[in-house]
Amino acid sequence: MRFVTRFVLGAAFVTTLVQCRPERHWEHDLTRVSLDIPAHVTSYVGVELEEPTRAQVELGRHLFHDPLLSADGTVSCASCHLQANGFSDPRPFSEGVGGGVGDRNAMAIVNLAFDESFFWDGRRNSLVGQAHDPVVHPLEMAETWTSVEGKLRESGTYPQMFFEAFGNLDLDSNQVTRAIAAFETTLLSFDAPYDAFFYEGAMGVLDSSALRGFDLFFGEAECVHCHAGPLLTDQTLKSNGLDGTVTDPGLGAVSGLDSDLGKFKVPTLRNIAQTAPYMHDGRFSTLLEVVEHYNSGVDFLAPNLDPDMHIYAEGLNLTEQEKLDLVAFMESFSDEVFLTNPAFSAPQ
Ligand code: HEC
Ligand code: HEC
């Protein structure tokens, strides 16, 4: 019996060695990708992003689109973060392995490399840390890291990609999440009609309705207090007065502070016309409903309501045309190149 065990263990050890030995022609590829970030963005956010290597980005793209990361091989990151929807989910609540359903709307993945808090409640502080969670979340990919690592090691193509990306065959969760974060770093969107108009002074890209919406957004409707700068978010967590009674504690559950109850990440408005439904629980299905919230629906009993929300205390009293104008302006945040860029799509 003892001999058999020893033999089996020995054989397993030899197989592992054989599997993990890099082929002679594999090389650690240190070529970096050019991120092409407009200078006004860099100066506004004050952060210079480190350019990831081409091999890490390519590996991350494969992993992001690969259902191998889930327990039953049916769910990938891209199942809930769809490119055509600005890498968000058109369903209010996404379906994970076995039809499990969460209670928050899947967020858009865009320009996130500049952020310091992730998830609606800000519970993670890096993209690498974030990418760890969906894999083991019981309602999302419901997998274990040991199992993912095993599947990747046994696959025909991944060992070489990991070697090219990291120069070794550790092939562990740390490398998986680093590669996914590298891919996400390339998901940049600064090429919408809004950018051409606002940052390049291009005429004729916004129609008259969108131009009136622009005036409202920066003026009377004061959206720019929170949806600010080229990221269209001030990257904080705040309450915009959705509920008088807290149903989801948001940041409060993370910090343990009553003063944070009901606060959520101020989301970017990049590609917002494609990322319906809206808010952390996907309660609004159209941008017009969102505008109506700010126009007349803010709940002033909401705990920790942001001071900047008191501008809506009297109601905005927007006309029907002005509401449509705000929507038309928000539609100018859609970046067609980003939404269809084959470099972000599932590898063929
Ligand atoms: C079953 C659906 C589902 C799957 C699969 C999934 N996500 Fe998500 N994702 C969500 C939901 C829902 C949220 C918001 C959850 C919350 O705030 O509590 C989210 C949030 C995020 C965020 C935070 C964005 C921000 O602005 O803070 C990132 C980044 C992200 N997901 C990346 C990934 C990656 C990478 C994978 C694969 C490893 C993945 N997701 C798999 C549903 C999913
Ligand atoms: C005090 C800060 C603040 C102001 C001012 C503000 N917002 Fe928001 N906005 C938020 C927060 C916070 C959320 C997310 C709330 C949540 O889901 O719990 C949000 C969510 C949104 C969303 C949904 C985004 C998504 O991905 O689901 C849209 C669209 C939006 N706001 C548009 C506007 C418009 C238009 C105005 C001006 C009329 C405006 N906001 C003013 C803080 C603000």
Side-chain angles (χ1 to χ4, degrees):
M1 189 65 195
R2 209 192 250 162
F3 170 76
V4 172
T5 323
R6 216 180 280 158
F7 175 75
V8 171
L9 278 179
F13 184 61
V14 171
T15 341
T16 319
L17 271 186
V18 170
Q19 273 174 356
C20 287
R21 189 179 298 151
E23 302 280 331
R24 276 249 165 82
H25 57 277
W26 296 358
E27 271 180 47
H28 187 192
D29 182 357
L30 291 165
T31 320
R32 294 195 176 262
V33 296
S34 158
L35 289 177
D36 210 11
I37 298 166
H40 68 83
V41 175
T42 309
S43 61
Y44 182 89
V45 292
V47 177
E48 192 112 27
L49 296 184
E50 200 192 333
E51 294 181 330
T53 69
R54 183 175 64 185
Q56 288 182 5
V57 171
E58 192 53 20
L59 171 61
R61 172 162 86 125
H62 278 78
L63 293 166
F64 186 89
H65 287 281
D66 199 337
L68 174 151
L69 265 56
S70 67
D72 62 358
T74 60
V75 178
S76 71
C77 307
S79 307
C80 303
H81 298 281
L82 288 76
Q83 180 174 11
N85 299 95
F87 290 100
S88 74
D89 195 335
R91 301 166 291 187
F93 304 124
S94 315
E95 255 177 52
V97 162
V101 175
D103 54 7
R104 289 193 185 143
N105 183 234
M107 307 169 84
I109 304 181
V110 59
N111 303 339
L112 286 184
F114 301 104
D115 281 6
E116 283 172 357
S117 54
F118 300 91
F119 289 119
W120 282 108
D121 54 14
R123 65 186 178 276
R124 280 290 195 171
N125 63 10
S126 73
L127 274 177
V128 176
Q130 191 288 326
H132 179 273
D133 296 355
V135 172
V136 295
H137 194 299
L139 298 174
E140 295 183 356
M141 302 169 107
E143 186 47 303
T144 66
W145 276 109
T146 321
S147 165
V148 170
E149 290 164 355
K151 285 187 276 186
L152 290 170
R153 286 188 186 122
E154 281 156 27
S155 81
T157 47
Y158 275 115
Q160 177 171 0
M161 297 184 79
F162 274 84
F163 191 84
E164 287 169 352
F166 295 105
N168 61 51
L169 281 171
D170 292 354
L171 222 149
D172 56 13
S173 61
N174 179 36
Q175 292 184 341
V176 173
T177 51
R178 277 171 64 198
I180 290 177
F183 169 64
E184 289 171 321
T185 299
T186 66
L187 300 181
L188 297 163
S189 174
F190 297 110
D191 214 359
Y194 165 68
D195 299 281
F197 166 75
F198 194 70
Y199 294 104
E200 289 155 34
M203 303 304 286
V205 283
L206 301 196
D207 65 16
S208 54
S209 175
L211 285 171
R212 289 193 301 267
F214 165 82
D215 285 339
L216 287 166
F217 192 92
F218 284 86
E220 202 187 322
E222 308 208 34
C223 315
V224 71
H225 280 297
C226 303
H227 302 285
L231 302 176
L232 295 166
T233 164
D234 62 4
Q235 300 171 291
T236 59
L237 289 95
K238 288 179 174 163
S239 163
N240 68 344
L242 292 174
D243 298 306
T245 317
V246 168
T247 47
D248 181 333
L251 177 62
V254 179
S255 69
L257 299 174
D258 282 349
S259 55
D260 285 334
L261 283 173
K263 290 187 187 173
F264 293 89
K265 185 168 174 178
V266 176
T268 179
L269 301 186
R270 290 275 167 193
N271 305 301
I272 195 71
Q274 279 73 37
T275 65
Y278 303 107
M279 305 298 168
H280 66 268
D281 53 5
R283 69 179 61 189
F284 300 131
S285 44
T286 65
L287 283 174
L288 204 52
E289 288 174 38
V290 172
V291 170
E292 199 51 63
H293 164 69
Y294 291 102
N295 185 52
S296 64
V298 177
D299 194 325
F300 289 90
L301 297 175
N304 307 311
L305 183 67
D306 192 80
D308 277 333
M309 292 300 296
H310 291 291
I311 45 183
Y312 306 116
E314 309 288 310
L316 278 175
N317 297 312
L318 299 173
T319 64
E320 292 311 306
Q321 185 57 51
E322 285 172 325
K323 293 175 199 169
L324 295 173
D325 294 342
L326 264 177
V327 172
F329 176 58
M330 287 193 271
E331 284 167 352
S332 80
F333 302 152
S334 298
D335 177 346
E336 280 310 317
V337 176
F338 175 82
L339 295 165
T340 56
N341 190 341
F344 305 152
S345 312
Q348 294 309 310

